Amino acid sequence: MKQRIGCGLFLIAGLAWLSFVAFDLFAVTLGDCIEDTPCEFYRPYVSGFIFWRGLAGGLLLVLAYLFFRNVVQDDDDV
């Protein structure tokens, strides 16, 4: 039972993280910038930063999930 609850929590955390990254990326790419401004210059860099941060966070969640699955054992599996 502990393992099922933990897996559900990891699922909720993963979906929340992906939603946050998608919203953040959507907000950065949707904004309007005047031509030849720092906003227009830095937009691709900020988008890349958000993408790599999202990928790193997702990878950490997957690794934590795999570690959790190996460490926590249910009483039902005995």
Side-chain angles (χ1 to χ4, degrees), residues 5 12 14 40-41 51 59 75:
I5 293 172
I12 291 170
E40 189 66 34
F41 177 76
F51 173 77
L59 182 62
D75 296 335

Side-chain angles (χ1 to χ4, degrees), residues 2 4-5 9 17-18 23-24 28 32 44 47-48 54 56 59 64 71 73 78:
K2 290 185 289 186
R4 289 183 188 154
I5 293 172
L9 291 175
W17 178 251
L18 288 176
F23 177 75
D24 202 13
V28 165
D32 55 346
S47 299
L59 182 62
V71 171
Q73 297 295 325
V78 177

Side-chain angles (χ1 to χ4, degrees), residues 5-72:
I5 293 172
C7 290
L9 291 175
F10 272 109
L11 177 67
I12 291 170
L15 290 175
W17 178 251
L18 288 176
S19 298
F20 170 72
V21 170
F23 177 75
D24 202 13
L25 193 59
F26 179 71
V28 165
T29 57
L30 187 65
D32 55 346
C33 292
I34 302 171
E35 293 180 13
D36 298 330
T37 60
C39 174
E40 189 66 34
F41 177 76
Y42 285 113
R43 181 182 284 185
Y45 298 111
V46 174
S47 299
F49 174 73
I50 292 170
F51 173 77
W52 288 110
R53 181 184 62 190
L55 190 65
L59 182 62
L60 285 175
L61 271 171
V62 168
L63 291 176
Y65 171 75
L66 292 174
F67 179 75
F68 174 78
R69 291 283 302 213
N70 287 332
V71 171
V72 176

